[in-house]
Amino acid sequence: MSAASGKRLGKVLVHAGVVTEEQLTAALAETDGRSLTAVLVDEGVATEQKIAQAVAESMSLAFVDLGSYEIDPAAATMLAIDLARRHQVLPIKIQDDELVVAMADPANIFAIDDLRIVTGYEIRPVVATESDLVAALDKFATMNANVSEMVGDLEDASTADEAEDIEAASDEDAPVAKLMNLVITEAIRQGAGDIYIEPLENELRVRYRIDGVCQEVVRSPKKLHRQLISRIKIASGMDIAEKRVPQDGRFGVVLDGKSVDFRVAVLPTVQGEMTVMRLLRRDSIMMSLEDLGFLENPLSRLLDALSRPYGAILVTGPTGSGKSTTLYAAINRTTRPTVNLITVEDPVEYRLEGLSQVQVHEKAGLTFASALRSILRQDPDVVMIGEIRDKETGTIAIEAALTGHLVLSTLHTNDAPSAVTRLTEMGIEPFLSASAINCVLAQRLARRLCPECKEAYTPDEAVLTRIGFPFEPGSPPTLYRAVGCKRCSGIGYKGRMGIHEVMTVSEEIERAAVNHASGDELKRIAVAEGMKTLKDDGLAKVAFGMTSIEEIMRVVV
């Protein structure tokens, strides 16, 4: 920032009451090549945000918190990084035929003129802090440098020869290898659960799923697509020449001392092969049940069922609700040298020490049912079945639970009581399933409110009444809602937790099931016996300030 700019900013800050004349004079004397903002912040006179907000208000411009703003990659890449750094600017979106540009000094008319000439757009400045601009520019500079290098290197290579594609994809120093490493590294560090690599008509799009929500991270020329998919196929052990049918594979990496497995699925689409990579962090499955967000009531019920030497424990919920993580946490609770524990899974997501894991291979005849029959001849104490999909598997699992084995498995139902009726629909006699099951756990995953920015508020009583939130009339509780900040990337949520419903199969529930009671009837009995429903558990976590009403309504109702 020039001396003239510093004096101009100083007048704005004095007029806004952010600094006094004396503080400004002292700070200007200390600049010595540094910006006035940096001096004021270092001396503790004002924060960067207050300075930027004062500038925005004085010029009737919007203030933008870049740490929580979803920057449009297409806009950000319109400007050469050198020019952006020189003027301390960053295009953040295109709106109404104007380029919205974040600036530390929006009064710099020379920068605005340069941007107008270079981009061909009318410029609409908004104000951001210097540190946010530097951080955002560094992020896009790294991404752009890697992608640009790869594109430049690929310009000289003809993609017509598939053999050359395979050779380039196999080369650890090739540009496509660098791109894949960049995508994987960023996904791990940002806590993504899935990576989507999607070919569009003219571009290649990469998205991460973070806390259950997809976020676009980069777009690149489509010419990178073929070599990138080839690279992924080689790493995952797939047939690189096969492009007509879906393929599955896996590979593992170690980053920052932590092991991460990737489960990869390639799907042919009209635009090319789409790839989804699911990140399986080994540290996440070493969690205890206490770490998964259980409240006291459901946790005590589940621990009681796990302490029994035999019987079935079923975990239910939709795809992506954390059933596998809960099963592995339960396994961690039961694994010890004196216990013979065997699992049968499709696929084996996490490879663990201290137990025997069997991978289903249906083409070879190794199904859940056939594997389970063989497993029972190995004299196991605990058996974990990835999923009960049919009558045969369910029957063997229930019989194993009745004959002295502790059986853990998953089932796709909407709530815990429906698990018993679902087994009956499969053709398993209710007197067998009801007497074999110790408990059923139904669960969902809800996002946690970001602890840095969650906002307290008093909800409307009519809203609480409508959703069934327990409260004293005239005394609504203080709840919290999402806001958005740098830490949570402007989403308002950071991390996820389980919402749980644990039904213990009592004698009354067993009798009702034998008499072919409906799921609703079983639920009524379970609630009367103290079961907290998914909704009850979610609203309790809202009351504790862990999540919001909106999030619970999204995942439970």
Side-chain angles (χ1 to χ4, degrees):
M1 185 179 289
S2 65
S5 297
K7 290 179 181 178
R8 184 172 64 244
L9 173 60
K11 290 180 181 179
V12 168
L13 298 179
V14 170
H15 184 265
V18 176
V19 299
T20 64
E21 288 282 2
E22 293 76 13
Q23 288 172 327
L24 173 62
T25 302
L28 287 172
E30 295 291 328
T31 51
D32 191 27
R34 292 187 296 161
S35 68
L36 176 61
T37 297
V39 174
L40 292 173
V41 172
D42 288 346
E43 294 183 352
V45 176
T47 65
E48 269 197 289
Q49 188 159 344
K50 279 191 175 180
I51 293 171
Q53 287 173 336
V55 171
E57 186 175 342
S58 71
M59 300 182 67
S60 299
L61 298 175
F63 169 76
V64 173
D65 182 354
L66 288 184
S68 61
Y69 191 88
E70 189 173 342
I71 299 170
D72 182 356
T77 54
M78 290 184 68
L79 203 62
I81 196 67
D82 292 340
L83 182 62
R85 287 192 194 280
R86 185 162 70 246
H87 291 310
Q88 274 204 317
V89 298
L90 179 67
I92 57 175
K93 70 175 176 179
I94 301 169
Q95 187 176 48
D96 301 328
D97 293 327
E98 291 182 321
L99 186 64
V100 181
V101 179
M103 307 179 68
D105 181 13
N108 187 343
I109 57 174
F110 300 107
I112 294 173
D113 285 343
D114 280 355
L115 266 60
R116 185 182 296 114
I117 293 168
V118 170
T119 64
Y121 280 90
E122 284 301 315
I123 306 301
R124 186 199 304 174
V126 295
V127 184
T129 65
E130 287 184 17
S131 62
D132 278 356
L133 274 168
V134 169
L137 286 170
D138 286 345
K139 174 184 173 182
F140 278 97
T142 302
M143 189 70 75
N144 292 344
N146 280 279
V147 173
S148 297
E149 178 188 347
M150 295 158 203
V151 175
D153 288 349
L154 285 170
E155 291 284 357
D156 300 329
S158 170
T159 57
D161 190 342
E162 188 170 287
E164 290 183 12
D165 272 357
I166 296 173
E167 182 180 352
S170 305
D171 185 357
E172 293 296 327
D173 295 322
V176 71
K178 296 177 184 177
L179 176 59
M180 180 174 165
N181 293 340
L182 175 69
V183 167
I184 287 173
T185 300
E186 284 300 307
I188 295 172
R189 288 179 174 160
Q190 291 186 35
D194 298 280
I195 303 171
Y196 298 88
I197 299 174
E198 304 160 299
L200 306 179
E201 186 174 357
N202 299 308
E203 294 178 298
L204 174 64
R205 179 174 69 177
V206 179
R207 292 189 295 168
Y208 297 156
R209 185 181 291 277
I210 300 174
D211 292 338
V213 179
C214 287
Q215 301 176 22
E216 183 174 319
V217 291
V218 69
R219 290 191 182 219
S220 68
K222 196 171 181 180
K223 64 183 70 180
L224 284 171
H225 174 253
R226 203 163 85 182
Q227 287 191 10
L228 181 58
I229 298 301
S230 297
R231 174 76 185 176
I232 293 170
K233 285 182 176 180
I234 289 171
S236 308
M238 299 182 194
D239 182 354
I240 194 171
E242 180 56 74
K243 298 178 174 62
R244 300 165 299 174
V245 298
Q247 295 189 70
D248 298 308
R250 67 185 302 146
F251 65 92
V253 301
V254 177
L255 180 67
D256 300 332
K258 295 182 179 179
S259 298
V260 181
D261 289 333
F262 287 79
R263 195 175 75 197
V264 185
V266 175
L267 177 69
T269 71
V270 293
Q271 301 290 358
E273 291 179 289
M274 171 186 174
T275 301
V276 179
M277 295 188 282
R278 170 154 290 186
L279 283 72
L280 306 171
R281 295 171 175 80
R282 295 183 186 178
D283 55 347
S284 69
I285 50 102
M286 299 313 292
M287 298 172 70
S288 66
L289 289 168
E290 289 81 1
D291 295 329
L292 299 181
F294 278 91
L295 297 182
E296 184 178 352
N297 176 284
L299 180 60
S300 63
R301 287 167 169 253
L302 181 58
L303 292 179
D304 178 64
L306 282 169
S307 67
R308 300 180 190 180
Y310 57 87
I313 298 173
L314 302 180
V315 183
T316 77
T319 301
S321 60
K323 298 189 297 295
S324 295
T325 301
T326 301
L327 276 183
Y328 280 113
I331 285 174
N332 289 337
R333 191 94 186 186
T334 58
T335 301
R336 48 188 179 272
T338 57
V339 172
N340 182 18
L341 197 158
I342 305 177
T343 76
V344 52
E345 306 167 64
D346 183 23
V348 175
E349 292 190 345
Y350 302 100
R351 298 176 184 180
L352 305 176
E353 294 183 4
L355 63 151
S356 303
Q357 295 173 276
V358 178
Q359 167 74 57
V360 167
H361 196 308
E362 293 194 359
K363 289 183 179 179
L366 184 60
T367 63
F368 274 111
S370 62
L372 193 49
R373 277 193 294 268
S374 298
I375 284 172
L376 294 177
R377 290 195 286 270
Q378 304 296 320
D379 191 27
D381 299 296
V382 182
V383 178
M384 194 272 271
I385 308 165
E387 182 184 349
I388 295 177
R389 296 178 178 176
D390 51 44
K391 177 183 177 181
E392 189 178 9
T393 306
T395 301
I396 299 170
I398 292 300
E399 289 176 350
L402 288 170
T403 54
H405 303 88
L406 183 62
V407 178
L408 310 176
S409 189
T410 68
L411 198 64
H412 284 279
T413 64
N414 289 328
D415 58 13
S418 299
V420 179
T421 57
R422 176 77 182 104
L423 291 173
T424 302
E425 290 167 2
M426 283 185 179
I428 301 169
E429 291 295 336
F431 72 87
L432 289 175
S433 57
S435 57
I437 298 172
N438 291 343
C439 80
V440 183
L441 162 65
Q443 72 175 55
R444 302 288 189 275
L445 284 179
R447 293 178 293 175
R448 291 180 182 270
L449 283 169
C450 174
E452 297 294 323
C453 65
K454 66 180 182 180
E455 178 182 74
Y457 75 105
T458 302
D460 186 89
E461 290 193 24
V463 173
L464 297 180
T465 302
R466 187 172 70 250
I467 66 174
F469 194 101
F471 72 101
E472 290 291 331
S475 301
T478 298
L479 302 181
Y480 292 84
R481 58 189 169 200
V483 177
C485 65
K486 295 179 184 178
R487 180 178 174 183
C488 62
S489 301
I491 298 171
Y493 298 93
K494 189 72 174 177
R496 291 192 289 179
M497 63 183 173
I499 306 297
H500 306 101
E501 171 180 290
V502 180
M503 182 186 78
T504 301
V505 180
S506 63
E507 289 185 7
E508 186 175 353
I509 289 176
E510 186 177 339
R511 282 196 299 269
V514 170
N515 292 324
H516 296 274
S518 67
D520 289 340
E521 291 171 351
L522 295 177
K523 182 175 183 178
R524 179 183 54 77
I525 297 170
V527 169
E529 293 180 344
M531 181 187 81
K532 300 297 183 184
T533 66
L534 285 168
K535 185 176 178 181
D536 293 337
D537 192 73
L539 293 180
K541 286 166 181 171
V542 171
F544 289 138
M546 301 164 73
T547 188
S548 67
I549 286 177
E550 293 78 12
E551 182 67 3
I552 294 303
M553 293 299 103
R554 181 181 74 87
V555 301
V556 173
V557 178

